[in-house]
Amino acid sequence: MLTNFKTIVRRFSVFNKGLRSIKRLFSLLFAISFATVLLINNFTSVTAQVSQIAATEIRGVWLTNNDFDILSDRAKLQDTIGQLHRLNFNTIYPLVWNDGYTKYPSAVAQRAGIPFFFKGREGQDIIADIVAQARRQGVLAIPWFEFGFMAPLTSELASNHPDWLTQKQDGTQTSISAAGEVAWLNPFHPEVQKFITDLVLEVITQYDADGIQFDDHMSLPVDFGYDKYTTNLYTQETGSPPPTNPHAQAWKQWRTDKITAFMFQLNRAVKARKPNAIFSVSPNYYDFAYKYQLQDWLTWVRLGAVDELIVQLYRNDLDSFNSKLTSPELIETKQIIPTGVGIMTGLRNRPVSIQQIQSQVRAAQQQGLGVTFFYYESLWDYGQEPVAQRQAGFQEVFANPAVRDRSQFTARKPSFNTISVPLYAKGSVGQRSRGYFMELAIAGGQPKRVLLDTGSAGLRVPKEFLGNSPINRTGQIIKEVLSDGTVLEGELVYTNMQLGLISTDEPVPVQIVTSRQCLPQKPNCSAKSGTPFSGIIGVNYSEKSLPYNPLRKLPGNLSNGLIISGNSDSNNKASLILGLTANNQNGFKMVSLSPQPAINSIPGNRWDSQINGICVTISGTAMKNTCNGKMVVDSGTNTGFTEVKSAALMGKLKPGRLRPENVLKLGIPGIFDYSLTPGNREGINAWNLNVSAKAENPVLVNSGIAFFDKYDVLLDPANGQQGFRSRS
């Protein structure tokens, strides 16, 4: 997903290829203000989803500290917003938080020991006045949390809460930015997260604003995160201390994912308070934001946690500007949400011509992008051209009105085409010789690792795995018999399931297992040992009753199939890929599955999980390339087996475990060719041979988990196919 990065930080360059740098310098010079703030693996983009939101062009401007003289005067403010409206602007972003201070009276800030200074000339609440004036003029007002986690080390916030600050590896707590020397609040600290969440919800509740916007400093410089709290947390979660290289991929991704998780939860908190609030983000361009600021805003978009994106592109060179307009990240994002770019309109000592501004606006418009200008006072007061000429220039590029409707900005579903979920070697409870376990959260509980089983369907977990989210109890007690003879018994309920930050579209059926027993004919099943039940998620599509495969209810393309990529090495780099695409299906050889009758309570198509036409050879038996067998590809079984209906096929062998001389070969011509030298290692080479006169098939094969060491396996429920790709 990520590319190589060659960008380096240039601190005070006005047109720093995406950095909003000079803005910080003038903010420092003109006022004291502030903001503090605050699984995902290898997400792949959606390329065809088109948002249901009418993509009205963003025509915005930031209202900064430099504009305080206007913002604090009611008459001037009314004239300002009226003039913007007449020139067909449709959005303003008034500053509410930077340098450690709010621009509005805040009970949350007061409790943190932060004083309030920014009243209007008549003592009025400036933000309330801006929002009210904008509402009357038909312009959206989206308060702007400019500084994010950044704060001066000398601020009351930093002084009162030193434990909220993070640091570099050498112990220093500050970095040099265009705003001067600043400290960084720890985005991983729960008290920091609560403080920022409370501030944001306070703004959303206190004002009838149209949303909230976060800046490129809703992030953390990659050199930070070596404070005691964060290093302990990382060590606890990974088993190793943070590496000395701040760019080490696992360490960088861990911090990035933590910030992503916070932004996701912050979005959900905002939407719970005000569903139509626009959750806007204005970052740097993606390569820089991810590598140097741990800000994976593309994943935020794909998670459905961003309603509007404004990428900062402050630069003079038009070719350089144009090159960023066609980046893959912007192309993808503009298909999903209103998207624009930030354009510099000048500084007091560095004016920007109206000709350059118009060229950049038109270039953005040609790519279907909106624009937001930094900042209001520079629109026409700093230019070399007369005010009237500059205003006429804006009128030319915004010739017709573009009214924005916030009523359509409701919570969005994730827009991933495909995701990769890690598979682990051990479950959260219980032990077994081998298995693939995926991490789930059920009913809002803590993530637990449950066994991934392609040989069954449905989610079955112990009651201890449940959280406090709503559960719809049916009172129906159901039983499930596993291939080893274990009988699971428990109530069928409906509740939500979550993979990382992605939830099922609706509650799914779950068996809450309260009893495990062995069938009389299989007394040595897994229940015999008394080992705690680790839970099972059955992911085939041959359900005969509830519960069904819960992956059917993942959002969008993620529900259209899966790929299991196993691994036999000690690193256990196995993964489950959810969501089939043309790219991730490359190299698979497909076989058709037999369709099954529809069942009203089970959504989607049902397919027989047994593959026909399996050719079986076992040395020392009468099975010599016998091609009338059926096979279940089963990741949930440690020991593979062959079951025959006629004892004659066994030759001189007796039922039981095969020996090394009984070499096994399985295959479908042109699809896969699998061989195994039997041994005694569960999950690696153990293989049993059984006979059952009552068997439905002449030969039935269960692949066992070792099959996944040699083949990636694909399940396609839309087309009724199973695929195999050699891993050699």
Side-chain angles (χ1 to χ4, degrees):
M1 178 178 73
L2 302 175
T3 59
N4 293 322
F5 306 96
K6 298 180 180 179
T7 311
I8 60 173
V9 179
R10 299 184 180 97
R11 285 192 294 158
F12 293 109
S13 172
V14 178
F15 302 100
N16 181 19
K17 299 188 182 296
L19 291 176
R20 179 179 288 143
S21 55
I22 294 300
K23 168 179 76 174
R24 311 303 186 207
L25 179 60
F26 274 81
S27 293
L28 175 67
L29 297 175
F30 278 84
I32 304 173
S33 35
F34 170 75
T36 62
V37 169
L38 38 118
L39 170 196
I40 302 186
N41 295 274
N42 300 327
F43 294 93
T44 302
S45 66
V46 61
T47 56
Q49 175 175 333
V50 178
S51 173
Q52 295 179 353
I53 299 175
T56 302
E57 181 180 287
I58 301 167
R59 301 172 180 176
V61 62
W62 281 287
L63 307 181
T64 72
N65 281 331
N66 294 1
D67 305 310
F68 186 74
D69 178 64
I70 294 171
L71 305 182
S72 61
D73 186 303
R74 281 176 166 162
K76 289 182 179 179
L77 177 64
Q78 181 176 349
D79 290 344
T80 293
I81 297 178
Q83 177 73 342
L84 291 171
H85 177 65
R86 288 190 294 274
L87 293 175
N88 292 325
F89 282 71
N90 56 23
T91 312
I92 57 174
Y93 302 91
L95 180 66
V96 292
W97 179 248
N98 74 349
D99 274 349
Y101 301 92
T102 61
K103 299 296 185 182
Y104 65 95
S106 167
V108 173
Q110 186 177 10
R111 289 195 297 270
I114 301 171
F116 174 64
F117 302 107
F118 301 95
K119 297 180 181 179
R121 292 187 179 181
E122 301 173 31
Q124 76 271 23
D125 181 335
I126 293 175
I127 300 303
D129 201 18
I130 292 172
V131 171
Q133 293 278 10
R135 180 75 68 241
R136 284 194 286 269
Q137 298 281 359
V139 174
L140 297 192
I142 302 177
W144 167 37
F145 271 67
E146 183 189 13
F147 263 36
F149 294 118
M150 196 168 70
L153 189 59
T154 56
S155 66
E156 287 87 351
L157 179 63
S159 299
N160 294 341
H161 302 280
D163 56 320
W164 287 6
L165 302 180
T166 185
Q167 66 185 41
K168 296 180 182 178
Q169 195 170 173
D170 62 4
T172 58
Q173 294 181 304
T174 61
S175 63
I176 303 300
S177 75
E181 187 175 7
V182 294
W184 289 85
L185 296 174
N186 186 351
F188 319 117
H189 199 295
E191 292 180 8
V192 172
Q193 294 182 2
K194 183 179 185 305
F195 174 68
I196 295 302
T197 300
D198 289 346
L199 276 179
V200 170
L201 294 181
E202 182 179 56
V203 171
I204 287 293
T205 304
Q206 198 161 301
Y207 302 102
D208 186 26
D210 296 290
I212 198 79
Q213 187 185 70
F214 304 97
D215 210 323
D216 53 316
H217 290 141
M218 201 70 156
S219 62
L220 186 69
V222 69
D223 293 338
F224 284 78
Y226 289 93
D227 58 277
K228 183 177 180 180
Y229 178 87
T230 304
T231 56
N232 286 343
L233 182 62
Y234 181 81
T235 303
Q236 175 186 338
E237 293 190 2
T238 67
S240 302
T244 57
N245 177 10
H247 288 278
Q249 185 57 34
W251 168 228
K252 182 164 66 175
Q253 193 63 51
W254 182 88
R255 289 173 291 165
T256 300
D257 288 346
K258 292 290 185 185
I259 294 174
T260 294
F262 173 74
M263 291 302 293
F264 181 83
Q265 297 302 328
L266 184 60
N267 173 274
R268 291 302 178 258
V270 167
K271 294 295 185 178
R273 190 67 58 90
K274 185 180 289 186
N276 293 333
I278 299 171
F279 199 93
S280 177
V281 177
S282 177
N284 285 310
Y285 63 91
Y286 184 70
D287 287 357
F288 184 94
Y290 177 84
K291 185 173 184 179
Y292 293 107
Q293 298 177 304
L294 306 178
Q295 194 177 41
D296 188 3
W297 57 257
L298 183 58
T299 292
W300 303 359
V301 172
R302 292 171 177 171
L303 280 168
V306 179
D307 298 316
E308 172 191 275
L309 183 78
I310 311 291
V311 176
Q312 302 168 32
L313 294 181
Y314 303 146
R315 55 198 66 202
N316 280 324
D317 183 74
L318 187 59
D319 289 338
S320 175
F321 179 87
N322 287 341
S323 70
K324 295 299 180 185
L325 299 181
T326 55
S327 68
E329 299 82 21
L330 277 182
I331 290 173
E332 176 183 339
T333 301
K334 71 183 181 182
Q335 296 181 67
I336 306 169
I337 58 175
T339 303
V341 295
I343 293 176
M344 175 69 71
T345 48
L347 300 166
R348 291 182 177 177
N349 61 344
R350 293 194 181 183
V352 176
S353 71
I354 189 63
Q355 181 180 5
Q356 175 178 311
I357 295 168
Q358 286 181 314
S359 296
Q360 293 185 346
V361 171
R362 289 180 176 129
Q365 289 172 331
Q366 287 172 3
Q367 297 298 328
L369 298 167
V371 295
T372 295
F373 301 112
F374 184 76
Y375 51 96
Y376 172 74
E377 192 175 23
S378 67
L379 290 179
W380 33 78
D381 287 351
Y382 297 165
Q384 297 175 342
E385 307 90 347
V387 170
Q389 181 180 339
R390 288 177 71 88
Q391 290 180 347
F394 285 103
Q395 186 80 70
E396 288 178 13
V397 293
F398 299 154
N400 299 305
V403 178
R404 303 186 68 190
D405 179 8
R406 81 169 187 187
S407 66
Q408 299 182 59
F409 285 88
T410 54
R412 293 191 303 106
K413 295 180 181 179
S415 58
F416 299 103
N417 257 352
T418 183
I419 64 173
S420 179
V421 178
L423 297 176
Y424 302 93
K426 297 293 182 182
S428 291
V429 298
Q431 297 293 327
R432 53 183 280 150
S433 57
R434 192 175 177 198
Y436 291 135
F437 294 83
M438 62 184 296
E439 205 163 66
L440 307 173
I442 303 160
Q446 292 297 311
K448 301 292 184 181
R449 294 176 183 177
V450 303
L451 181 67
L452 178 70
D453 182 16
T454 58
S456 69
L459 182 57
R460 308 171 196 279
V461 298
K463 62 182 179 181
E464 293 79 15
F465 283 16
L466 302 181
N468 297 320
S469 293
I471 296 174
N472 181 13
R473 313 192 79 95
T474 68
Q476 179 184 355
I477 305 300
I478 60 174
K479 293 183 179 182
E480 175 72 6
V481 181
L482 304 182
S483 60
D484 71 343
T486 301
V487 181
L488 306 177
E489 185 172 347
E491 184 183 3
L492 180 71
V493 305
Y494 284 79
T495 190
N496 65 295
M497 183 191 80
Q498 189 166 324
L499 299 172
L501 300 176
I502 298 176
S503 296
T504 50
D505 277 342
E506 60 187 61
V508 295
V510 182
Q511 183 187 18
I512 308 304
V513 176
T514 53
S515 171
R516 288 191 302 154
Q517 299 178 0
C518 294
L519 288 174
Q521 59 270 38
K522 294 186 177 182
N524 295 318
C525 76
S526 60
K528 179 182 178 181
S529 66
T531 302
F533 180 49
S534 64
I536 293 175
I537 177 170
V539 297
N540 74 30
Y541 298 90
S542 61
E543 306 96 326
K544 295 179 175 59
S545 62
L546 295 175
Y548 54 74
N549 179 353
L551 302 183
R552 289 182 181 272
K553 289 298 182 180
L554 289 177
N557 198 64
L558 300 183
S559 65
N560 83 339
L562 59 92
I563 297 170
I564 298 172
S565 182
N567 202 332
S568 59
D569 66 26
S570 59
N571 292 326
N572 192 44
K573 297 176 181 177
S575 62
L576 172 67
I577 298 170
L578 298 171
L580 300 181
T581 67
N583 287 337
N584 63 30
Q585 293 182 78
N586 283 339
F588 278 95
K589 298 178 180 180
M590 311 298 286
V591 296
S592 296
L593 302 175
S594 300
Q596 301 295 296
I599 298 177
N600 288 336
S601 58
I602 297 175
N605 299 322
R606 295 176 56 248
W607 307 95
D608 190 343
S609 60
Q610 297 180 356
I611 304 170
N612 296 314
I614 300 295
C615 300
V616 183
T617 298
I618 301 178
S619 299
T621 73
M623 285 178 279
K624 306 292 184 181
N625 208 30
T626 303
C627 294
N628 62 345
K630 290 193 172 187
M631 184 175 83
V632 175
V633 181
D634 190 352
S635 63
T637 299
N638 271 331
T639 302
F641 66 84
T642 303
E643 180 183 79
V644 297
K645 187 169 186 176
S646 171
L649 288 175
M650 299 180 61
K652 296 181 180 181
L653 294 184
K654 295 181 180 181
R657 183 155 294 182
L658 295 181
R659 301 172 64 85
E661 59 266 26
N662 306 126
V663 175
L664 169 79
K665 293 185 178 181
L666 305 172
I668 298 177
I671 304 297
F672 69 86
D673 185 9
Y674 176 72
S675 63
L676 178 76
T677 300
N680 292 315
R681 299 178 63 193
E682 293 283 345
I684 303 297
N685 58 13
W687 196 277
N688 290 336
L689 179 62
N690 306 317
V691 61
S692 174
K694 297 181 179 180
E696 296 180 2
N697 306 298
V699 179
L700 176 64
V701 175
N702 185 305
S703 73
I705 193 173
F707 185 88
F708 293 84
D709 294 340
K710 296 185 178 180
Y711 287 92
D712 294 337
V713 177
L714 178 153
L715 295 177
D716 179 357
N719 299 300
Q721 293 182 315
Q722 191 159 351
F724 301 88
R725 182 172 60 194
S726 175
R727 303 186 65 247
S728 60

